[in-house]
Amino acid sequence: MASCANCAAPLPANSQVCRYCGVRNDMDLLGRQAVRVADAGVKRQCPNCEIGLQTVALSREGTPDIERCSECFGLFFDPGELEVLLEDSVAPVADFNLPLLQNINRERYQADRPVKYLKCPVCQVLMNRMLYGYQSGVVVNRCKGHGVWLDNGQISHLLEWKKAGGQLLDRKKAVERQARGRTETANTEFRSNYAAPTNQAGGEFEVLETIAEVVFKLFE
């Protein structure tokens, strides 16, 4: 679980506001990265607060700059940036811990959270809501052309998910889906190749049967 940078108390699920000291924590990246504002421009707009997003730079080399709202601390990632950040911020794991993943999701699940469709910070078109990865429990807003929006606290959830082996489990399920798809395709091709001759043979049998009935009537 993420901790408050001010008093070290555990932060509530899906929030960066400390319940003990009241400090609003910035992005939690397991304490491994410092954050500085690289650009306070207003080209991209927060879909929640409708103010310009800041561009923030992370201290680790190779980590992409990302957009952040200074009010709600939501984050916007260009295509591929979220995956780079997850890879850079969490050490590789050898296996997945399914009970831990389930506990993380139970703790962070918000049954009363309203479903809200947000506009893309770039094109202002409504984004699609989708689950990020198998057993992640994180529903993100994605614009196919411009990137992914994460609400306050969701980056912490995804970091915990990856640390518990969620990304490994997601890749395992993807391989299984591909294998099922290949099997279904092969079965479909098999049926299409062998169904036609069977029907054709049945049709020829019906024709022969009709001819036999005509010949039989001629000799009655």
Side-chain angles (χ1 to χ4, degrees), residues 3-95:
S3 299
C4 175
N6 182 57
C7 69
L11 291 173
N14 300 298
S15 176
Q16 302 299 94
V17 180
C18 180
R19 68 179 69 173
Y20 296 97
C21 68
V23 169
R24 294 193 70 178
N25 287 253
D26 209 330
M27 296 176 301
D28 174 60
L29 298 177
L30 302 186
R32 295 179 56 188
Q33 304 212 33
V35 179
R36 65 177 178 83
V37 177
D39 183 6
V42 295
K43 293 181 180 179
R44 296 181 174 187
Q45 189 177 65
C46 173
N48 288 317
C49 307
E50 298 184 352
I51 63 174
L53 296 176
Q54 299 174 330
T55 299
V56 295
L58 306 178
S59 61
R60 290 181 63 84
E61 184 178 353
T63 305
D65 294 349
I66 54 181
E67 278 72 44
R68 175 199 63 180
C69 176
S70 59
E71 291 293 326
C72 69
F73 286 156
L75 302 171
F76 187 68
F77 297 85
D78 289 342
E81 286 184 346
L82 178 54
E83 289 72 23
V84 171
L85 182 61
L86 290 175
E87 289 294 332
D88 188 66
S89 300
V90 180
V93 295
D95 200 0

